[in-house]
Amino acid sequence: DVIGGEQANNIEDLILLREELNNLDEFERNLILNRYMKDLTQSETSKILGMSQVQVSRKEQKILMKLRDKLVS
């Protein structure tokens, strides 16, 4: 079977996302993996990373904006 256009675009997007995640530094990658792959709350992530929930929230937003900028451009 040939992959349909939309499905192919989704696969390309996932590949690009994976590449950009690999470009993050270790701290940023761990934060995003804990929040989105392990589905942990900001509070749970903050305990693992040794910082406050507010710090996790702020850093998470900055990292997500960075990823968005890279993926949209």
Side-chain angles (χ1 to χ4, degrees), residues 28-60:
E28 293 173 327
R29 192 169 37 255
N30 283 336
L31 190 149
I32 295 300
L33 291 177
N34 280 318
R35 289 284 293 128
Y36 295 94
M37 303 304 280
K38 295 181 181 178
D39 201 27
L40 299 180
T41 65
Q42 288 180 348
S43 293
E44 291 167 327
T45 300
S46 72
K47 290 175 185 163
I48 291 169
L49 298 176
M51 58 193 335
S52 73
Q53 177 272 321
V54 172
Q55 289 173 306
V56 167
S57 177
R58 289 181 183 148
K59 290 191 181 288
E60 179 182 348

Side-chain angles (χ1 to χ4, degrees), residues 10-22:
N10 289 340
I11 291 170
E12 289 173 11
D13 289 344
L14 289 172
I15 291 168
L16 289 172
L17 177 59
R18 184 181 193 131
E19 288 174 4
E20 290 306 325
L21 286 171
N22 286 332

